[in-house]
Amino acid sequence: MSSEPRSAPFRMPERLFAELAAGGGSPEAVAFLGRAERARRLLLLRTLLDRLDALPTQLTPAAEAWHILKDAAARAPEPVDRLLLAPATGGWLAHVLRRAHGTASGPALWAEAGHLCALAVTASLHAGTDAELRVPLVDGALSLPGLGLARLPDAEGALTIGRARTSRGELTLAGPGRDGDMTSVTVRPGTVGLGSGGAEDGSAAASWLPLRTLTHPTPTGTVAIPLDDLDPYRDLDDPLPPARLDAAEAEEWQRVFEEAVAVLAAPGGVGPGRLDPAWIRAVVPWGRTSTLPPAPPTVQASASSGDSFGAMVIARPSSALALAETLVHEFQHSKLAALLHLFPLLDDDRAERYYAPWRPDPRHLTGLLHGAYAFTGVAGFWRDRMAAARDDRAAVEEGVKEKSLEEEAGYHFALRRLQSRLVVRTLLAEGRLTAQGRALVSGLARTLDGWLREPVPASALARARTAAALHRTEWRLRNVAPTDGAAPSADSPRFRPDRTSWPDVRTHAFAVRPTTPYTADEHLAAGDPAAALARYAEELAADPAEPHALAGWIVARATLDPGRAARRMLARPELLQPQPSG
């Protein structure tokens, strides 16, 4: 493994770019992005090594650690290559470079830079070489990327310096103990595959926490995806301590993941929404470490980073369908981030002034592009689910359940294709795209325009259009300041000084048609705008400017009485509110 960058430039074949621009991507296209990310990772690593040469440290110097790592790579190239290209390694690289530029914070810089020593120890273990390094310990523990966490018994707390010795795949770790003497432990690190009969050794749990992996069988063997709850750089930026899942929660992850893989296994081509789970490089659990309280059906939070290609932070849902959708969503972000590393796609002044139909706040152009690309994939995911439910309904006698699934999938497909096309139009109209950026966004437009002509169950389509109008209306009521006279256009608003984040409770609530509507929202979702209008009016009698109720009233009124006045009210709903104070 050399840290020297490639001398020849990357050139993406036009057909692969066209696949990715349409929102999808074949295995060949995804593999190309992976190779490009590898080249970028090595370039960043070379940059970091140059900076670490001059950094004072009490640990093994960076040049020596790198020599140990290169020696291991010569003996075991594949596992060491995977180690350097792992998402958490990318997160560490980017974070420490930001530290060097003064744009990030964290523990002592020498300790964060010393994570290179942990990488060298791990590489040596993979290769079975002999090495000895001075390493940073946090509360007596050493994180071994891609393997797990070694912990000293009765160790001194906080940040200390330990000594790691490797020989034939075995690690002996020593460091200061609480009583002032040295303490040590010897372990043979290895990961544990969930769902494959593997289990943690209870007797060794005090000294060794193995990295768990989500597993699923394929025709060519078992794929193992890290379920990373240990690595300090598994998150999107700052380092964080381990958050070990208990055994029951880990098994729940495996169960829901297996079911999500079954959802993703539906036959299809390389279009948007199709995902080979083997492309995922890590799943990072967020927000919970046990099965209690029970997980909600939907994903409450998920995220990804361009520094960590193929990784995704996810709050576990109870629904496999929700997890499958999120896996698609976050991998779309990874693909676009890799494209942004290859091509300048747009000239972004970073001003947050654009409407994104999936956000409570204004967004900048890069965020808008990421959203359009991700939700085009989500639309494709639901398009496939709608087609599968339709096929299942045709194959059974009653088909009641399948019809319900077809309606729900049709709603999400119709909503996301409509919202994504709106954002694509904004991107094309702004005139800030490069040639490659225009080609990419035009590819998304062609995909979405084709989908807009595809049939969707009428009730699902009506709810999707209503939900889209509700979100945009409430977004403007909560974000845009009403102005008098020569006001800014609807596309260039002036924002309220008192705006805050707000929950989007309608997008999922409108997915299913209520059978016995009671609330105003339920009446509107059931297709009865007159009843909804009366209920919204009752709510507004107590607070005439309440944004949620006012948005519902505006959309219900426009549904009952479409025309020029309704269109103006939908375009500038904030004019019905008083001026914000301050």
Side-chain angles (χ1 to χ4, degrees), residues 360-420:
D361 52 346
R363 294 294 281 155
H364 48 65
L365 282 173
T366 301
L368 212 59
L369 178 59
H370 260 286
Y373 197 81
F375 279 98
T376 297
V378 169
F381 170 84
W382 287 110
R383 176 175 177 261
D384 288 345
R385 306 288 80 71
M386 183 179 68
R390 187 179 294 148
D391 292 344
D392 289 344
R393 182 163 59 91
V396 298
E397 185 176 349
E398 295 293 334
V400 175
K401 180 180 179 182
E402 287 73 17
K403 185 175 181 180
S404 174
L405 290 174
E406 182 184 349
E407 273 261 330
E408 184 176 354
Y411 163 83
H412 288 295
F413 170 52
L415 177 65
R416 297 313 189 187
R417 72 182 181 183
L418 177 64
Q419 293 176 327
S420 298

Side-chain angles (χ1 to χ4, degrees), residues 15 209 223 300 376 401 462 520 557:
R15 61 184 177 82
L209 284 179
V223 171
Q300 301 295 298
T376 297
K401 180 180 179 182
R557 181 62 182 268

Side-chain angles (χ1 to χ4, degrees), residues 187-203:
V187 296
R188 183 169 288 276
T191 60
V192 171
L194 294 164
S196 60
E200 293 179 29
D201 182 354
S203 63

Side-chain angles (χ1 to χ4, degrees), residues 499-563:
R499 69 183 190 273
T500 58
S501 184
W502 51 280
D504 173 19
V505 299
R506 284 167 165 147
T507 291
H508 285 288
F510 274 60
V512 178
R513 187 179 188 275
T515 54
T516 54
Y518 177 75
T519 67
D521 279 357
E522 289 170 351
H523 281 293
L524 196 54
D528 188 352
L533 190 68
R535 290 294 182 96
Y536 288 130
E538 292 173 4
E539 296 177 28
L540 290 171
D543 185 356
E546 201 284 312
H548 185 86
L550 184 55
W553 185 90
I554 290 170
V555 172
R557 181 62 182 268
T559 304
L560 284 170
D561 188 17

Side-chain angles (χ1 to χ4, degrees), residues 180-390:
D181 294 331
M182 294 294 287
T183 180
S184 66
V185 67
T186 298
V187 296
R188 183 169 288 276
T191 60
V192 171
L194 294 164
S196 60
E200 293 179 29
D201 182 354
S203 63
S207 57
W208 176 246
L209 284 179
L211 179 71
R212 298 185 181 109
T213 58
L214 299 168
T215 61
H216 73 97
T218 71
T220 58
T222 298
V223 171
I225 298 169
L227 181 65
D228 197 346
D229 53 4
L230 297 174
D231 196 290
Y233 297 96
R234 66 191 184 275
D235 202 20
L236 301 184
D237 190 11
D238 294 341
L240 71 168
R244 189 61 163 176
L245 306 184
D246 64 28
E249 176 65 9
E251 290 299 334
E252 275 301 290
W253 262 106
Q254 176 64 31
R255 179 191 65 79
V256 179
F257 178 75
E258 284 179 355
E259 294 174 0
V261 168
V263 171
L264 294 170
V270 298
R274 313 286 167 76
L275 173 65
D276 182 346
W279 296 343
I280 301 169
R281 300 193 178 186
V283 173
V284 178
W286 184 88
R288 58 185 299 121
T289 57
S290 71
T291 56
L292 296 176
T298 59
V299 174
Q300 301 295 298
S302 69
S304 53
S305 167
D307 298 323
S308 307
F309 180 75
M312 46 199 74
V313 179
I314 300 175
R316 180 182 67 82
S318 60
S319 162
L321 194 62
L323 179 58
E325 177 193 15
T326 302
L327 296 176
V328 169
H329 179 130
E330 295 302 338
F331 197 75
Q332 288 288 106
H333 283 302
S334 279
K335 288 192 297 180
L336 182 63
L339 283 170
L340 282 164
H341 292 156
L342 287 171
F343 304 104
L345 297 180
L346 71 172
D347 175 22
D348 188 0
D349 62 6
R350 310 299 287 184
E352 297 182 329
R353 58 175 176 268
Y354 299 99
Y355 170 61
W358 32 78
R359 296 276 303 202
D361 52 346
R363 294 294 281 155
H364 48 65
L365 282 173
T366 301
L368 212 59
L369 178 59
H370 260 286
Y373 197 81
F375 279 98
T376 297
V378 169
F381 170 84
W382 287 110
R383 176 175 177 261
D384 288 345
R385 306 288 80 71
M386 183 179 68
R390 187 179 294 148

Side-chain angles (χ1 to χ4, degrees), residues 130 152 450 488 551:
D130 293 348
L152 291 171

Side-chain angles (χ1 to χ4, degrees), residues 29-39 85 281 309 338:
V30 174
F32 184 93
L33 294 179
R35 291 194 300 274
E37 286 296 293
R38 181 183 189 277
L85 302 180
R281 300 193 178 186
F309 180 75

